[in-house]
Amino acid sequence: MYIQAKKRAIDSLKRDEERLLQLADQIWEFAEPAFEEFQSAESLCKFLEAEGFCVERGIAGMKTAFKGSYGSGHPVIGILGEYDALFDLGQEAGCAEYKPIGKTGHACGHHELAVSTLAGAVIAKRFLEETKIPGTIVYFGCPAEEGGAGKAYMVKEGIFNGVDIALSDHPAGSNAVRTGTTCASMRFEYIFHGIKSHPATQPENGRSAFDALELFNIGINFLREHIKQQNFIHYAVTFAGGDAPNVIPDLAKGIYVVRSTSLAEARDLARRMDLCAQGAAIATETTYEKKLLSAGNHLISCEAVEKVLYKNFAETELPVYTKEDEEFGRKIFESNPKFAVAPDICCQFGRVWEQEFKEWQENHPETVFNRFLPTYAHTHDLVAGATDLAEVSWTVPTGSIFFVTAPKKVSVHTWQFTAFGKTDCAHQGTMMAGRVLGGAAIDFLVDSSLVEKSWDEFKRSLPGKYISPVESISR
């Protein structure tokens, strides 16, 4: 009974494919940054309401956060979507040369993430609608993954309380069930204050905030030699004091990110970074202030959830790519020679796959896409990136997949990834991921033992009590 109902629910997505992909392209066009995804969020809310979900907007104190629910009782399966874009990565769609447009772009594919997760929620809803079994499907609209830690605020406000299983996905250049862990991270703004003066007539009366910022950055770069290999510091100067060289600047700013294997390690790294700031301020007779912008824990993977996702991924037909996408994909792949020697993103989460990817690509030179699903593996490998999905993984058993929306080895957070965001490959990958998530959600809805097994593992895997990384930040 349930097998056929599951198949009908998954197959029903075909009638909505055009509408869903139009929504994905629309969100790509909106390209709204963190906490400003107003049009994207509203478009998703309207789709959910038209589908029969009960939608609650503006949750967790964030105007662009929402949830859409259907059904009643347990198990409660949450499917998590994202829809924020990145600054400085706008790019003309379908163009293999760098042609920036606008201030923002979907270089991490969150327009595909938003709609693939939406498709999965719709599949699960239709299954519940037909079978009338107990259970609830909830689509969580999660803003500001890119540097804003939107999910951390949602966890802080108890938005995921009562959820039994959380599922999500992410666009990539390869297919896989996500495993391993990510870095914990903290993001700060440092602001240095000095005294304005004329640098020629009264230089002794000036105190350069930009000098202080430069000394701070020099200190950071020397600090990098004396930190653990799995620790990272990144920064961007956001205000260098202005455009007048004949004025000693009294203000300079920068954004700084620290990453480490745990939030405790990241906090200690931030402490050492403060010493660099103090030294720079003393040396230049300036002052500084620091603001914590966002923070997050490391990801906890759950093997039991991964296995359900893998089963459904293995049962889902992989796309066949068009000649046009193969040609465009080859141009994108060749637009940066370093892509050829870069690792596939999935291999960073599961290094056991490196040989499998190498052999597959050597045996299939005719395609620029990773059109295969590697064997299942559960690992504890660390990837240097960070995600606010980690906050949910400390709260409820959580699983996610990667799905192909771009050529092999093409990295997210590049203009090339933005350029590929409206292709047939991106569209097919989005719908495929939706079928995988929808199928997995149905399996959890009908088999309580899968939920129990996931919770048993989750409780054993927790490294300690959850501490909100954004407790001191209000939105």
Side-chain angles (χ1 to χ4, degrees), residues 146-166:
E146 298 292 357
K151 296 183 193 67
Y153 297 102
M154 296 172 78
V155 171
K156 178 183 173 183
E157 296 301 321
I159 298 300
F160 299 103
N161 292 354
V163 174
D164 292 298
I165 298 290

Side-chain angles (χ1 to χ4, degrees), residues 238-254:
T238 55
F239 183 69
D243 300 324
N246 58 342
V247 177
I248 293 174
D250 66 347
L251 183 67
K253 302 179 183 180

